[in-house]
Amino acid sequence: MMNQPIDPFFRRLFIVVAMVVGILLLYLMMPVIIPFVFAFVLAYLFNPLVKRLSKYIKRWVAIIIVYSTITLGMVLLLWWFIPTLWHQLQAAWEYLPKVLTWYNEVVREWFVNNSRINLPELESKGFSETLVEYMQTNYKFEDASTMMNQILVSSMNFINNAGLIVLVPILTFYFLFNWDQRLQTWKLAIPAAYSKKVIQIARECDLALMAFIKGQLLVMVLLGAIYAVQLQLIGLELGLIIGMVAGIASFVPYLGFGIGFIAAIIACLFQFGLNWTYLSLIVGAFLVGQAAEGYILQPLLLGDKIGLSPLWVIFAVLAGASLLGFVGMLIALPVSAVLNVLFRHLYIYYRSTDFYKGRKQLALFEKR
């Protein structure tokens, strides 16, 4: 009995259904997939250091040393950071009555005397009542049992997320342990006709990514130090925290400057009131930071690693934010670095085609 050919319609229908089911499964399994994605990214970042150490010691020992060093560094950082943060938050809380007084006596009075807007008078004791009213309005806490149920659900979600966070270092260890074998398996899976070109493109993407990440980390550290030192010299009590946050947030272009500048202005109003001298010094500090980032740090440490103009950088960040929110802003530039390599090779291939050279037309434009 001869095999009957499958109708093309049913073949296409089967392919479409399989794709829809696959996408649906990926969506449903996203909470499980995300820890693996984070673990893979961390393994990719740590692998160069582990590979260098594994030349002298066994690979699993190198991984443990890297883990221990990073853990010790984080513990020391938190040991210094948390008391400092707590002290500065207490200092900020002490300035709250001054801010309320300035608002009531300066801002509110100006609006009352010069416009028809009648701003409400604020009092410190009203904040707790406002917070309770907000919680009741948005979370509908009708009684104590409802509130306890909400807290229990939130606690279970926190425990689940904490479990996934603990899982990430374990997955990262296994990714690192078999990294070279896994890469070799992927190389052997590439069709022989395309293997050389695919490996070349992958290496160029890897070089662009690692160069960008190393340079960006240095820019973040140095820029945070520049902001923090200037704000501390000005006398801003929260200057250290604001400078560090601005440096870390500078991973996303212009985000660090925006967050740091707004936070510094607010902290200045908390501490000094409407003092134009201190406000001018803070504006000058952030202008110096922007000049150092744009004319010194970025050219020296990043240079032309991404190969994108400032217009494309802004477009990439906005597009990432539009598609994936804050996560999209974080990954916009690394993804752009990879896409830039891919498009460069695609452009070179396009320039070599018969269509570009005018020897052949696409089937859509051929005369019949």
Side-chain angles (χ1 to χ4, degrees):
M1 182 177 179
M2 296 180 62
N3 293 329
Q4 294 293 330
I6 301 175
D7 188 278
F9 170 77
F10 290 105
R11 183 186 292 111
R12 296 186 186 114
L13 180 63
F14 174 78
I15 294 173
V16 171
V17 171
M19 291 175 62
V20 171
V21 171
I23 293 173
L24 181 61
L25 288 175
L26 283 176
Y27 175 77
L28 294 175
M29 294 176 63
M30 194 59 66
V32 178
I33 295 173
I34 287 176
F36 285 83
V37 174
F38 274 110
F40 179 80
V41 172
L42 290 175
Y44 172 75
L45 294 176
F46 295 156
N47 182 65
L49 184 57
V50 172
K51 189 173 183 179
R52 187 170 298 180
L53 289 175
S54 61
K55 294 179 180 178
Y56 311 101
I57 54 179
K58 292 184 177 181
R59 189 171 180 86
W60 66 270
V61 178
I63 297 173
I64 292 176
I65 291 175
V66 171
Y67 268 41
S68 302
T69 304
I70 293 173
T71 303
L72 180 61
M74 291 181 64
V75 168
L76 292 176
L77 181 62
L78 291 175
W79 184 272
W80 166 81
F81 180 75
I82 292 178
T84 305
L85 177 62
W86 178 250
H87 172 72
Q88 298 205 353
L89 287 176
Q90 284 181 319
W93 183 257
E94 291 173 358
Y95 289 116
L96 182 59
K98 297 181 181 179
V99 175
L100 294 179
T101 302
W102 173 75
Y103 164 80
N104 291 324
E105 296 180 356
V106 179
V107 178
R108 182 174 176 275
E109 287 295 324
W110 187 90
F111 275 96
V112 170
N113 296 330
N114 297 279
S115 69
R116 296 181 180 179
I117 301 175
N118 188 14
L119 295 176
E121 186 174 357
L122 297 180
E123 297 181 5
S124 299
K125 64 180 181 180
F127 275 91
S128 58
E129 298 173 0
T130 304
L131 179 61
V132 172
E133 182 181 352
Y134 174 81
M135 296 292 288
Q136 291 176 344
T137 303
N138 292 275
Y139 294 96
K140 299 182 174 22
F141 290 151
E142 298 175 358
D143 49 32
S145 62
T146 306
M147 183 175 179
M148 290 304 297
N149 289 332
Q150 292 281 355
I151 293 174
L152 182 61
V153 171
S154 300
S155 300
M156 293 303 296
N157 291 333
F158 174 78
I159 292 172
N160 291 333
N161 293 331
L164 293 178
I165 292 173
V166 172
L167 183 62
V168 168
I170 299 174
L171 296 175
T172 304
F173 180 89
Y174 285 109
F175 273 124
L176 283 170
F177 189 74
N178 295 317
W179 187 268
D180 292 336
Q181 294 89 330
R182 192 171 287 108
L183 279 185
Q184 188 63 27
T185 302
W186 293 347
K187 287 181 182 179
L188 295 176
I190 303 172
Y194 308 103
S195 177
K196 185 177 180 180
K197 192 65 176 178
V198 170
I199 292 174
Q200 178 190 353
I201 294 174
R203 285 175 178 168
E204 291 185 14
C205 291
D206 175 59
L207 291 174
L209 273 177
M210 293 307 298
F212 166 73
I213 291 171
K214 292 175 183 177
Q216 187 63 53
L217 287 175
L218 284 173
V219 169
M220 289 164 56
V221 171
L222 294 176
L223 189 60
I226 290 172
Y227 284 138
V229 169
Q230 288 187 104
L231 294 177
Q232 287 291 104
L233 290 176
I234 290 172
L236 197 65
E237 291 193 3
L238 299 177
L240 186 63
I241 300 298
I242 293 173
M244 291 175 60
V245 171
I248 294 171
S250 66
F251 186 82
V252 178
Y254 313 110
L255 181 65
F257 172 80
I259 291 176
F261 182 74
I262 294 173
I265 293 295
I266 294 174
C268 180
L269 293 175
F270 274 25
Q271 184 173 346
F272 305 112
L274 191 60
N275 189 310
W276 293 108
T277 301
Y278 283 102
L279 289 174
S280 301
L281 288 173
I282 288 173
V283 171
F286 278 88
L287 289 177
V288 169
Q290 279 295 287
E293 181 184 11
Y295 295 103
I296 300 174
L297 299 180
Q298 291 277 3
L300 289 178
L301 299 176
L302 283 175
D304 211 11
K305 301 296 189 301
I306 306 179
L308 299 176
S309 67
L311 289 176
W312 278 110
V313 168
I314 297 173
F315 174 80
V317 172
L318 293 178
S322 176
L323 293 173
L324 296 173
F326 183 71
V327 176
M329 294 176 67
L330 290 178
I331 66 174
L333 292 185
V335 171
S336 299
V338 173
L339 290 178
N340 183 54
V341 174
L342 298 178
F343 278 117
R344 187 172 68 249
H345 281 273
L346 182 62
Y347 179 72
I348 293 172
Y349 170 75
Y350 164 72
R351 293 285 299 269
S352 66
T353 58
D354 291 335
F355 171 72
Y356 172 78
K357 297 176 180 178
R359 300 172 187 168
K360 184 180 180 181
Q361 289 290 334
L362 296 176
L364 181 64
F365 301 105
E366 286 181 349
K367 294 182 180 180
R368 305 201 175 196

